[in-house]
Amino acid sequence: MEQFRFVFLILSQDYTPQANQARFESPLCLSQIYGVGSLEEACRLAREIADEGQIHRVELCGAFGPEGAKAVAQAAGGRLSVGYVTDLAE
C-alpha cells in the first residue's frame, strides 16, 4: 500500500513555517504540520508543495474559512486536494 502523505496548515500571525513545524511518519502515513502567519504565506507554501509533487492532500485549520481554502486550492493549481476544518452545526 502506498504511503498517504498530507500537510496540515495552522494559521496564526506569529507563526512561520521555518520555526513552527512537526513531522510524523509511519509506513502508511506521512503527516507534516506547518504554522503560517498569513494566507499569502499559506498560498506560497501550497505552491511549493504542489511543485514538489510528493503530497496528496493539504488540510487547513478553520481560521482559513471557505474563502481562504479556495485561495490555497487555487494557489496549488488544482494539483492538490485541499480541505479545511469546520465546526459541526448544533
Side-chain angles (χ1 to χ4, degrees), residues 19 23 37 40 42-43 48 54 56 59:
R23 178 184 171 109
E40 294 76 20
C43 289
E48 290 175 8
Q54 300 298 310
H56 300 111
E59 289 285 343

Side-chain angles (χ1 to χ4, degrees), residues 57-81:
R57 182 163 179 83
V58 172
E59 289 285 343
L60 307 170
C61 76
F64 285 94
E67 295 305 313
K70 287 178 189 174
V72 171
Q74 288 175 343
R79 297 174 289 163
L80 296 170
S81 172

Side-chain angles (χ1 to χ4, degrees), residues 21-58:
Q21 60 177 281
R23 178 184 171 109
F24 305 94
E25 187 168 9
S26 73
L28 295 178
C29 188
L30 168 65
S31 307
Q32 295 174 277
I33 303 169
Y34 294 98
V36 294
S38 67
L39 177 57
E40 294 76 20
E41 190 167 46
C43 289
R44 179 191 55 75
L45 188 54
R47 268 190 301 278
E48 290 175 8
I49 290 167
D51 288 346
E52 291 172 2
Q54 300 298 310
I55 300 298
H56 300 111
R57 182 163 179 83
V58 172

